Amino acid sequence: MAMETTESQTPPSSLERSSRINKYALGCAVIASTNSILLGYDIGVMSGAVLYIKDNLKISSVQEEILVGSLNVCSLIGSFASGKTSDWIGRRYTIVLAAATFLIGALLMGLAPSYPFLMAGRVIAGIGVGYSLMIAPVYTAEVSPSMTRGFLTSLPEVFINIGILLGYIFNYALSGLPPHINWRLMLGFAAIPAIGIALGVMSMPESPRWLVMKGKIAEAKKVLMKTSDNEEEANARLEEITKAASMVVESPTDEVGSGTENTNSKNWSGQGVWKEILRPTRPIRRILIAAIGINFFMQASGNDAVVYYTPEVFKSAGIRNRKSLVGVTIIMGVAKTSFVLVSALFLDKYGRRPLLLLGTIGMAISLAALGLGSKYLESSNKKPTWAIALCVLAVCTDVSFFSIGLGPITWVYSCEIFPLRLRAQGSSLAVSVNRVVSGVVSMTFLSISKKITFGGMFFLLSGIMVVATIFFYFLLPETKGKTLEEIGEIFQDKPNQNNKPTTTTTEITQIR
């Protein structure tokens, strides 16, 4: 096994990786992940706010789809630019930039006097979301010890779900206000956490891997000392990171732990990365297929659209009272948040693959049940209670299985499989695909549903989840318990994995 060959060359004392969560690493991960509350809040609050926006601004169904989906499409700009930005100014300041951009967008939406003004705020907020989606998992993965990386890197998804639940709660609380006021407050309140997040992030350290890439070995070691259980573990992690970084710069001359700075690496800011991504070797091609594939299926599952348009789905199912519609979404939000916590807690124990496969199989079954319930209600004039209850239950189980599998694991997996040199910009490419698919699904969900009905749409999404399960089973290897520097070995050609042990440096050379 790849893990065993790496361990066979390292003194046993430096390999004792603790599964105990490091409090400092946890604090860094929590602060970075709070940025994801902004996306979650927008998803949750918009599902209810759009009901009142339609009445107040008199917009059509097509304008509604554009309004909802534009945030996802525009987040492509932020996610695509975030890789280069984070290599240039660092992971920490990129998180600050994300929060500041979303703050401006939230204020514009909250003060919007018209639909075009509202769309302008939506575009700016979308750019901030794009930055946030890529950088929070990357920073958390780079600061986390390997044995608890799954839990810590899944925290952004936990906070997305907390944000969705908060959005639902604010929808319910503000729904009694006049229609020209309530939706503006719903959207504008997102500015408050954005300010707190930007201030909180300034107390975080920079990613130790980015610091090593910039030749700031002494600073990186200080961070690793705080995020490791002991000095021996910190030195071992620093040595692995430095070996990986030595392939990035032309003349890495630093000695591990020497405290000296490599002046040749200070000006590195991601040069040449896109050439390697666009003309990949076979190992990098496998990584790209895995990262882009999991991000594609995350959004092709229709989860964002189901969350955004749940009130519309339940409205067609026979639930007419608006407060009841918003109230049902709170039930769904509680289910999503509860199960993403379960996934986060067990991700490092059971691994990525089992939970991912469980999640996609569960979603396929739930969406099929939702399709059956919707089809029955579409053909029935009486709208029986049991059929409505089946649809509500199916939606809750669908989002719950999403929270077990695709929700958290997409962020964990797609940022941990890239080698150090490609991590930021490779992750940004994968997240860009995520955003494009999310935008397309969100902006066409209602239109397609009108053509083939909600029931037909859910059957289609169920079929996509069957394909996703097959894709994950054959093309996504397990990464549990491995350091970021060791994971590259998994994607090597099989002869390299079965031959005599090779060092981490050799493996990274092969990847390159």
Side-chain angles (χ1 to χ4, degrees):
M1 294 292 291
M3 188 73 167
E4 295 169 350
T5 60
T6 306
E7 290 181 358
S8 65
Q9 293 187 319
T10 313
S13 59
S14 66
L15 289 165
E16 300 195 2
R17 297 173 184 161
S18 171
S19 59
R20 182 174 61 86
I21 296 175
N22 179 282
K23 292 181 180 179
Y24 189 81
L26 175 62
C28 292
V30 167
I31 295 173
S33 300
T34 52
N35 210 32
S36 299
I37 284 181
L38 303 177
L39 171 61
Y41 180 82
D42 182 271
I43 292 173
V45 83
M46 183 55 77
S47 67
V50 73
L51 297 173
Y52 303 100
I53 292 172
K54 284 180 70 175
D55 287 346
N56 184 226
L57 299 183
K58 309 298 181 186
I59 62 175
S60 65
S61 294
V62 173
Q63 287 177 308
E64 177 188 358
E65 285 182 314
I66 294 173
L67 176 66
V68 170
S70 60
L71 181 131
N72 297 313
V73 173
C74 294
S75 65
L76 171 66
I77 300 170
S79 59
F80 201 71
S82 58
K84 187 72 173 177
T85 303
S86 63
D87 280 339
W88 178 37
I89 65 174
R91 295 6 178 181
R92 185 177 62 160
Y93 285 114
T94 303
I95 296 175
V96 175
L97 177 62
T101 306
F102 190 90
L103 167 64
I104 296 170
L107 290 174
L108 287 175
M109 287 190 290
L111 299 171
S114 62
Y115 181 76
F117 206 101
L118 181 60
M119 282 297 302
R122 197 90 174 131
V123 168
I124 295 173
I127 295 172
V129 163
Y131 272 103
S132 169
L133 280 175
M134 174 271 175
I135 195 58
V138 167
Y139 173 86
T140 305
E142 291 189 342
V143 81
S144 303
S146 60
M147 296 303 290
T148 55
R149 188 178 60 249
F151 169 71
L152 296 177
T153 312
S154 65
L155 288 179
E157 180 67 16
V158 173
F159 280 96
I160 287 175
N161 282 275
I162 291 173
I164 290 173
L165 182 57
L166 288 173
Y168 290 155
I169 292 171
F170 272 88
N171 278 342
Y172 191 80
L174 299 173
S175 60
L177 296 177
H180 67 285
I181 294 176
N182 57 10
W183 66 265
R184 289 184 170 85
L185 290 177
M186 292 173 186
L187 298 176
F189 274 151
I192 298 173
I195 296 171
I197 290 165
L199 295 175
V201 168
M202 295 307 296
S203 65
M204 297 181 344
E206 184 51 84
S207 157
R209 286 172 171 83
W210 185 82
L211 291 171
V212 170
M213 294 277 280
K214 289 294 185 179
K216 300 179 180 180
I217 306 298
E219 290 183 40
K221 185 172 181 179
K222 288 179 182 178
V223 178
L224 289 169
M225 287 290 291
K226 293 180 179 179
T227 59
S228 303
D229 288 336
N230 51 58
E231 186 174 359
E232 188 177 24
E233 181 189 340
N235 285 331
R237 290 174 66 188
L238 182 60
E239 183 176 1
E240 281 192 319
I241 295 168
T242 305
K243 284 180 180 179
S246 69
M247 301 308 302
V248 176
V249 295
E250 293 181 1
S251 304
T253 57
D254 294 68
E255 270 183 50
V256 175
S258 65
T260 60
E261 294 191 353
N262 181 355
T263 56
N264 293 324
S265 65
K266 288 180 180 179
N267 295 323
W268 189 87
S269 58
Q271 300 93 326
V273 169
W274 281 110
K275 182 179 179 181
E276 294 186 48
I277 290 176
L278 296 176
R279 299 177 62 184
T281 59
R282 281 197 297 179
I284 295 301
R285 190 179 300 117
R286 294 183 188 116
I287 291 172
L288 287 169
I289 290 171
I292 291 174
I294 194 171
N295 276 275
F296 171 84
F297 283 113
M298 179 189 189
Q299 297 302 341
S301 69
N303 180 77
D304 280 8
V306 169
V307 173
Y308 277 129
Y309 298 117
T310 293
E312 295 283 351
V313 174
F314 289 149
K315 192 175 179 182
S316 69
I319 303 175
R320 298 296 178 183
N321 182 274
R322 286 207 172 162
K323 199 147 190 173
S324 298
L325 287 171
V326 176
V328 170
T329 62
I330 294 179
I331 298 172
M332 185 177 70
V334 171
K336 272 182 68 68
T337 305
S338 300
F339 280 93
V340 78
L341 288 170
V342 171
S343 178
L345 290 171
F346 289 100
L347 196 51
D348 288 308
K349 181 177 181 180
Y350 295 110
R352 285 53 161 161
R353 274 172 57 87
L355 293 179
L356 187 59
L357 293 172
L358 172 64
T360 50
I361 292 170
M363 288 183 72
I365 296 171
S366 300
L367 286 164
L370 182 57
L372 286 171
S374 298
K375 278 291 185 184
Y376 183 87
L377 288 168
E378 287 160 11
S379 61
S380 172
N381 294 323
K382 293 185 178 180
K383 308 290 184 185
T385 303
W386 68 265
I388 296 175
L390 173 62
C391 288
V392 173
L393 179 62
V395 167
C396 289
T397 55
D398 174 52
V399 298
S400 297
F401 278 114
F402 178 86
S403 291
I404 288 173
L406 275 168
I409 295 172
T410 297
W411 308 123
V412 175
Y413 202 88
S414 59
C415 68
E416 71 181 0
I417 61 176
F418 283 102
L420 178 59
R421 176 181 179 84
L422 308 181
R423 184 168 300 128
Q425 297 187 52
S427 297
S428 75
L429 174 62
V431 174
S432 297
V433 172
N434 182 301
R435 295 293 84 202
V436 169
V437 178
S438 178
V440 170
V441 173
S442 297
M443 295 176 76
T444 59
F445 185 85
L446 290 180
S447 298
I448 295 175
S449 296
K450 286 180 179 178
K451 297 288 185 182
I452 63 175
T453 73
F454 279 122
M457 188 65 173
F458 294 131
F459 282 130
L460 175 62
L461 295 177
S462 177
I464 291 172
M465 285 299 92
V466 172
V467 176
T469 302
I470 298 169
F471 177 88
F472 298 149
Y473 182 82
F474 287 104
L475 295 176
L476 268 67
E478 183 57 72
T479 57
K480 179 187 74 169
K482 290 178 169 55
T483 67
L484 294 178
E485 286 65 43
E486 289 170 342
I487 288 173
E489 182 178 335
I490 303 172
F491 293 90
Q492 293 298 313
D493 295 330
K494 288 185 179 180
N496 290 336
Q497 294 178 346
N498 296 328
N499 288 341
K500 293 180 181 180
T502 55
T503 63
T504 305
T505 307
T506 304
E507 293 158 7
I508 294 168
T509 304
Q510 291 168 340
I511 287 178
R512 196 177 179 215

